[in-house]
């Protein structure tokens, strides 16, 4: 089964699906960025100064409670962006945004993006479509975390990462997976062993390779696919340039 998200390699799908006028408006404000594993793009409770668009790599939005407990609330890659609060008209977020898989992309200052919104309502409307799709993903994550077994949740999460990367190899540590799934590291070990025993993945130190995507989708038991279908409905693929 092919990957679900309709994103071409080495480009950000939000930017690629903009109208030609809005793309011409935002492109002069974008600066190339490289994202390193563990890099914090946005701290919880602080003003968002930049908005990031990935062309490859994966970023995580992490919820943190008053006791310091952490769990992933959402993720994005080449299909998405950071800066939900900026698009929604706010200035800061309670979520921490961190790079979980290194990659590249571009950035725009939050102030510049707000200025562009004043010039183009269609630009903001386009980004709001993505925010809606991200909220669907977050609701599905809550359902999966509350109702799914660990191996189901792990299968879903690996599929989501797989969608956003080229190839089948994912550079992921068990420590990071534990934060993403809100479990102890030992739980991640059990989950990966279960999936590996079924021939769905191969796990090495700091690396997981997807061997059987169809099998992972079966293992996720319906927890994967709703958000991905909604994203494609709302944003889809870039339209071919007219000849």
């Amino acid at each position: 089964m092919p990957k679900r998200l309709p994103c071409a390699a080495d480009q950000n799908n939000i930017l690629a699906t903009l109208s030609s006028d809005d793309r011409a408006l935002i492109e002069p404000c974008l600066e190339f960025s490289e994202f390193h594993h563990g890099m914090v793009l946005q701290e919880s409770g602080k003003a968002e100064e930049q908005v990031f668009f990935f062309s490859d790599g994966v970023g995580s939005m992490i919820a943190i409670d008053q006791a310091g407990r952490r769990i992933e609330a959402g993720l994005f890659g080449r299909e998405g962006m950071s800066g939900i609060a900026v698009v929604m008209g706010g200035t800061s977020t309670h979520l921490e945004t961190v790079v979980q898989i290194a990659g590249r992309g571009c950035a725009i200052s939050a102030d510049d993006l707000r200025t562009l919104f004043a010039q183009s309502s269609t630009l903001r409307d386009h980004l709001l479509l993505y925010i809606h799709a991200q909220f669907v993903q977050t609701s599905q994550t809550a359902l999966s975390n509350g109702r799914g077994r660990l191996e189901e949740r792990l299968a879903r999460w690996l599929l989501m990462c797989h969608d956003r990367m080229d190839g089948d190899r994912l550079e992921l540590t068990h420590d990071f997976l534990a934060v993403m799934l809100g479990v102890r590291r030992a739980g991640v070990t059990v989950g990966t062993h279960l999936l590996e025993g079924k021939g769905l993945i191969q796990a090495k130190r700091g690396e997981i390779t997807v061997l059987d995507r169809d099998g992972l989708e079966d293992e996720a038991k319906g927890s994967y696919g709703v958000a991905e279908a909604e994203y494609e409905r709302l944003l889809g693929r870039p339209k071919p340039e007219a000849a």
Side-chain angles (χ1 to χ4, degrees), residues 125-167:
D125 288 346
H126 187 79
L127 300 190
L128 284 171
L129 290 177
Y130 168 70
I131 301 306
H132 172 74
Q134 185 63 49
F135 284 162
V136 174
Q137 183 200 119
T138 300
S139 69
Q140 291 295 302
T141 296
L143 178 60
S144 178
N145 287 345
R147 295 295 187 181
R149 294 181 301 172
L150 175 58
E151 59 269 31
E152 295 172 21
R153 294 167 55 198
L154 179 58
R156 173 181 181 264
W157 194 87
L158 291 173
L159 287 164
M160 292 169 70
C161 281
H162 193 230
D163 279 339
R164 291 160 172 83
M165 299 296 295
D166 298 324

Side-chain angles (χ1 to χ4, degrees), residues 2-72:
K3 299 182 181 185
R4 294 283 190 99
L5 289 178
C7 303
D10 297 324
Q11 67 177 5
N12 180 272
N13 198 61
I14 292 180
L15 299 178
T17 52
L18 285 169
S19 69
S20 57
D21 287 344
D22 284 336
R23 194 158 56 247
L25 188 66
I26 196 173
E27 281 181 347
C29 300
L30 297 172
E31 295 184 355
F32 174 78
S33 295
E34 290 188 299
F35 310 116
H36 308 292
H37 171 70
M39 180 179 177
V40 177
L41 303 179
Q42 173 61 40
E43 293 185 57
S44 174
K46 293 192 175 181
E48 294 195 88
E49 297 181 354
Q50 288 184 296
V51 174
F52 299 95
F53 298 88
F54 284 29
S55 56
D56 61 3
V58 178
S60 288
M61 296 176 291
I62 300 172
I64 308 170
D65 70 9
Q66 292 181 343
R69 294 176 297 186
R70 301 158 62 86
I71 191 170
E72 184 179 73

Side-chain angles (χ1 to χ4, degrees), residues 158 168-170 192 195-197 199-205 207-212:
L158 291 173
D168 298 320
R169 187 173 62 86
L170 309 174
T192 54
L195 297 183
E196 196 168 24
L200 307 181
I201 63 171
Q202 182 181 51
K204 298 180 180 179
R205 184 177 180 85
E207 177 183 305
I208 292 177
T209 301
V210 174
L211 300 177
D212 181 354

